[in-house]
Amino acid sequence: MRVQDPSLEASARSDPPNERTTAGRIEVAVLVLQAASLVAMTATVATRVWQQHLWFGFLLVILTTAAWAPEIRYRRERMVWFAYVAGIFVYTLLRALADETAIPVRTDYVIRVDGWLPGSNPVQWLQEWRIDNGVPKVLDYLAIATHWSFFVTPHAGAVVAFVYYRAAFRRYVGLMVGTMWLGLTLFFLLPTAPPWLAGETGDLPGVTRVMDATIRDVLGDATESGAATYDELYKALGEPNSVAAMPSIHMGITFGMYLWARSHARRLALALLVYCGLMAASLLYLGEHYVADELAGITCALLVWAGVRWYFPVGEAGVAQAARR
């Protein structure tokens, strides 16, 4: 990655050696500060500092933006990483507030929409099938692993896109962050209870949160604090807002990765399409989302992808790169 300021590079021949050395040290210091600010954002999400002290989260956004302000002028490639990390961090902050408006939480409409599908409600049917047939625990673990992989795969995808598909990296970041933010808008406008919560209130009888019961049993048997550790970790990463279910960001981001790969990393496209299918089935099986939530997430990804392709055109180099890979 180039870190040399273009203006410094242009004047390198005329500047004395001491001035060039000082400028280089300042450039390295700025780069370290910028990287540290992004690491701090990531760490506060994992440790729930931003949830316990919301003001600190917004202060960190201000400080990080100040550290990255020079990039707005120089338009260097590393600015895209700021957009990725800061975009997701601010999304996480605001998502936690989306259920604190005067708009009431809705439950009925998604149950009705899923009821239009042939047979019974898909979530109810899957969970009844799980109980009636005594499904082995390994299937629960596989579904949970697929669900939790969401907290790793998009970021791994960002690294892969940056290293191997650099010409299309901006598109990847725009698609991931844009899908989250479009979903965030719907979280505020249409707070919706997920199936497991509808099960607890009696609106969707028989539906439980499979993930909670399974993991708490396993960790609770292993250590006294195991279940509590799980609760803290999942609240930090996956559930700052229990009624942010419409649309399914899990499904939107996963499908977005497939859309991007179909254009820029064709060898990965089929595997990502299979991953989309596994994610969709797991979210229903675990009682995390309705089919309607998943379709809404896919729609968000499609809309953002259309905008990203228009806003970030990829030249001949990017097209040739996709053809080779």
Side-chain angles (χ1 to χ4, degrees):
M1 180 190 301
R2 283 187 69 195
V3 297
Q4 182 64 43
D5 185 328
S7 63
L8 294 175
E9 182 179 349
S11 60
R13 295 180 181 178
S14 58
D15 290 342
N18 288 342
E19 291 186 14
R20 292 201 302 269
T21 301
T22 300
R25 288 174 178 172
I26 293 174
E27 175 68 15
V28 171
V30 170
L31 178 58
V32 170
L33 177 63
Q34 291 172 341
S37 67
L38 299 187
V39 171
M41 281 185 167
T42 305
T44 57
V45 171
T47 59
R48 293 189 69 203
V49 171
W50 66 270
Q51 283 182 279
Q52 297 167 355
H53 306 286
L54 195 59
W55 63 269
F56 178 77
F58 287 105
L59 176 62
L60 185 58
V61 171
I62 294 171
L63 295 176
T64 302
T65 302
W68 283 84
E71 304 306 316
I72 299 174
R73 174 185 175 187
Y74 299 129
R75 297 182 181 277
R76 288 176 287 204
E77 196 168 34
R78 66 186 188 227
M79 180 66 183
V80 185
W81 280 108
F82 166 75
Y84 182 73
V85 177
I88 294 176
F89 183 73
V90 176
Y91 155 84
T92 304
L93 289 177
L94 295 179
R95 180 174 181 256
L97 303 175
D99 60 340
E100 297 184 10
T101 66
I103 301 176
V105 176
R106 301 293 301 274
T107 302
D108 54 344
Y109 78 98
V110 276
I111 296 175
R112 286 201 304 270
V113 170
D114 275 26
W116 295 339
L117 298 172
S120 60
N121 183 287
V123 177
Q124 279 182 314
W125 181 85
L126 279 170
Q127 294 209 353
E128 288 172 1
W129 172 81
R130 170 179 173 267
I131 294 173
D132 293 344
N133 292 277
V135 172
K137 283 288 186 181
V138 65
L139 190 59
D140 294 351
Y141 300 145
L142 288 174
I144 292 169
T146 301
H147 178 280
W148 276 73
S149 69
F150 168 80
F151 301 112
V152 177
T153 51
H155 312 311
V159 174
V160 170
F162 180 77
V163 174
Y164 297 104
Y165 306 93
R166 188 75 59 89
F169 181 56
R170 292 175 186 268
R171 281 187 168 185
Y172 184 91
V173 170
L175 177 56
M176 296 296 105
V177 176
T179 299
M180 290 184 179
W181 277 76
L182 181 55
L184 178 68
T185 303
L186 290 176
F187 293 161
F188 276 95
L189 296 176
L190 197 61
T192 303
W196 64 265
L197 189 55
E200 290 183 359
T201 59
D203 294 298
L204 201 61
V207 173
T208 62
R209 197 171 201 185
V210 176
M211 181 166 56
D212 276 6
T214 302
I215 295 182
R216 283 199 182 102
D217 286 347
V218 172
L219 294 180
D221 291 341
T223 64
E224 292 182 2
S225 61
T229 301
Y230 159 73
D231 288 339
E232 291 297 312
L233 181 60
Y234 191 73
K235 284 177 182 178
L237 295 177
E239 194 188 295
N241 178 359
S242 294
V243 295
M246 169 60 77
S248 168
I249 295 299
H250 273 67
M251 198 68 243
I253 291 298
T254 304
F255 190 74
M257 293 175 66
Y258 162 69
L259 291 175
W260 180 87
R262 192 176 63 171
S263 294
H264 301 295
R266 294 173 186 169
R267 292 184 180 180
L268 303 176
L270 180 58
L272 286 171
L273 184 59
V274 172
Y275 180 52
C276 287
L278 292 173
M279 182 64 74
S282 297
L283 294 173
L284 295 174
Y285 178 85
L286 297 172
E288 297 295 318
H289 283 287
Y290 299 94
V291 172
D293 301 338
E294 296 180 340
L295 292 177
I298 289 172
T299 301
C300 286
L302 287 168
L303 291 173
V304 174
W305 181 233
V308 164
R309 293 183 70 181
W310 171 79
Y311 193 78
F312 296 116
V314 173
E316 294 181 2
V319 174
Q321 185 184 58
R324 289 195 304 270
R325 297 172 186 251

